[in-house]
């Protein structure tokens, strides 16, 4: 401190590994740490193909000792292909998302796959903040119980977390003042990117999301007719007049910004929706903005306008789904919906070609 000199004592290994510090360790309880060499580090090392493992790293001699050897949790997807894709919106905003492809897939040989987008929009006050890189391409791919990445096993391309930034620059502009315009522009940019890469084709791309991502999904079907083959909306809110005192980062009330609330509500634009939409909701959802009534009323409006739709209510579930029966049923519902309305769009042109190619792997 007296000299203000800096010394780097450790940094993460070079790619393809990612390391992170979990804790600082000493030799035992009550030991007085007098110098840096008295400390060891507990760190985690991972890569896209290797699950996180714990190591003890000595600062005295940089020796390390591996203390865990966890097996790969899903060996059949160990060779999945993962890439952080960067592209631009038509207004110049930098976008990104993580593109996952099934093991053994080759776009030139196998042709386009049915594709699933899974996203969640976020608000920003500047284009620079919206375009920042999030996450690391070297992190291990963890797959949750209802993760969209599971659909790699069904030979889908999965575009996970494509960014949908909603930007309001300056003091006079709020992000949601142009929510629909920015949302649809981001969606078209993402579709253009996966089609350009040859991993998906127009008319065979589904979109889905949970909570605010479900709200996004319904809005995309309303304002981008024909861009997506179908949608999956889980535990969402669709009528913003039922959340009149604000939602997400929107601090204005319904009475202060009635036009914004109405424009952003898929319920108020349901006559524009033509593409199939699957709604899933927990019966006991206690999240203040997503009571089950949101899905029930929206489903009634969809059916009243002749939209192919299905409402699934999960008993005893809240905003997220935890029971094994619920999780398995959600996956079955999603798979059935995607096979009917998305995968069928590519089977006629190159489905047999894909099946033969994957069978050889």
């Amino acid at each position: 401190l007296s000299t203000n000199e800096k010394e780097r004592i450790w940094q993460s290994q070079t790619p393809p590994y990612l390391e992170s510090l979990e804790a600082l360790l000493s030799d035992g309880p009550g030991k007085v740490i007098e110098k840096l060499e008295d400390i060891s580090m507990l760190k985690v090392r991972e890569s896209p193909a290797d699950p996180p493992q714990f190591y003890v790293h000595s600062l005295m001699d940089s020796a390390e000792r591996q203390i865990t050897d966890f097996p790969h949790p899903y060996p059949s997807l160990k060779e999945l292909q993962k890439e952080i894709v960067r592209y631009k919106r038509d207004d110049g905003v930098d976008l990104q998302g993580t593109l996952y492809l099934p093991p053994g897939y080759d776009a030139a040989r196998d042709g386009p796959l049915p594709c699933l987008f899974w996203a969640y929009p976020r608000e920003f006050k500047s284009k620079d903040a919206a375009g920042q890189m999030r996450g690391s391409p070297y992190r291990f791919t963890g797959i949750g119980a209802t993760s969209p990445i599971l659909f790699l096993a069904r030979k889908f391309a999965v575009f996970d977390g494509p960014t949908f930034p909603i930007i309001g620059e300056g003091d006079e502009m709020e992000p949601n003042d142009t929510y629909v315009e920015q949302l649809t522009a981001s969606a078209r940019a993402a579709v253009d990117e996966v089609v350009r890469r040859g991993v998906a084709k127009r008319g065979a791309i589904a979109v889905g999301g949970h909570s605010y991502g479900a709200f996004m999904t319904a809005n995309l079907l309303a304002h981008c007719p024909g861009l997506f083959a179908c949608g999956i909306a889980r535990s969402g809110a669709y009528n913003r007049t039922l959340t009149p005192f604000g939602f997400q980062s929107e601090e204005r009330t319904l009475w202060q910004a009635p036009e914004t609330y109405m424009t952003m509500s898929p319920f108020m634009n349901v006559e524009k929706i033509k593409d199939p939409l699957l709604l899933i909701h927990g019966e006991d959802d206690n999240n203040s903005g997503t009571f089950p009534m949101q899905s029930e009323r929206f489903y009634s409006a969809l059916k009243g306008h002749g939209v192919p739709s299905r409402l699934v209510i999960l008993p005893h579930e809240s905003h997220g789904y935890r029971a094994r029966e619920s999780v398995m049923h959600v996956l079955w519902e999603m798979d059935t919906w995607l096979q009917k309305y998305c995968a069928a769009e590519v089977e006629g042109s190159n489905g047999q070609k894909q099946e033969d190619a994957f069978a050889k792997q």
Side-chain angles (χ1 to χ4, degrees), residues 278-343:
L278 171 64
L279 301 172
I280 302 175
H281 217 118
E283 183 182 38
D284 297 326
D285 192 337
N286 61 358
N287 185 43
S288 60
T290 57
F291 290 140
M293 180 177 64
Q294 290 272 6
S295 286
E296 294 167 352
R297 296 292 184 266
F298 190 42
Y299 174 70
S300 297
L302 289 167
K303 296 302 287 185
H305 284 80
V307 181
S309 52
R310 178 175 171 85
L311 172 63
V312 179
I313 299 295
L314 303 171
H316 311 300
E317 293 290 356
S318 187
H319 194 57
Y321 320 135
R322 306 191 60 163
R324 183 178 186 274
E325 294 84 353
S326 299
V327 168
M328 298 298 286
H329 188 73
V330 165
L331 294 175
W332 180 87
E333 291 282 358
M334 292 174 63
D335 182 59
T336 302
W337 199 256
L338 291 172
Q339 294 298 326
K340 181 176 181 179
Y341 291 110
C342 185

Side-chain angles (χ1 to χ4, degrees), residues 113-171:
L113 298 170
C115 183
L116 173 61
F117 285 13
W118 199 263
Y120 191 100
R122 299 181 186 276
E123 297 87 355
F124 298 90
K125 290 299 291 182
S126 73
K127 292 182 179 180
D128 290 340
Q132 290 180 347
M133 171 72 79
R134 301 179 63 209
S136 168
Y138 308 112
R139 189 173 298 281
F140 179 71
T141 303
I143 302 179
T146 57
S147 169
I149 304 173
L150 289 167
F151 287 91
L152 292 176
R154 296 291 275 161
K155 304 301 183 286
F156 270 69
V158 177
F159 201 19
D160 189 34
T163 49
F164 283 77
I166 309 300
I167 305 166
E169 294 186 303
D171 296 332

Side-chain angles (χ1 to χ4, degrees), residues 240-259:
R240 283 301 164 198
T241 67
L242 298 178
T243 55
F245 292 99
F247 55 91
Q248 292 297 110
S249 297
E250 180 56 69
E251 297 180 350
R252 297 169 297 181
T253 69
L254 168 63
W255 299 275
Q256 292 171 318
E259 185 175 345

Side-chain angles (χ1 to χ4, degrees), residues 9 35 46 82 87 158 181 192 222-223 281 335 345:
I9 60 175
K35 54 185 182 300
E46 59 190 296
K82 173 184 178 180
Y87 53 103
V158 177
E181 293 84 354
D192 289 345
H223 299 289
H281 217 118
D335 182 59
E345 297 298 322

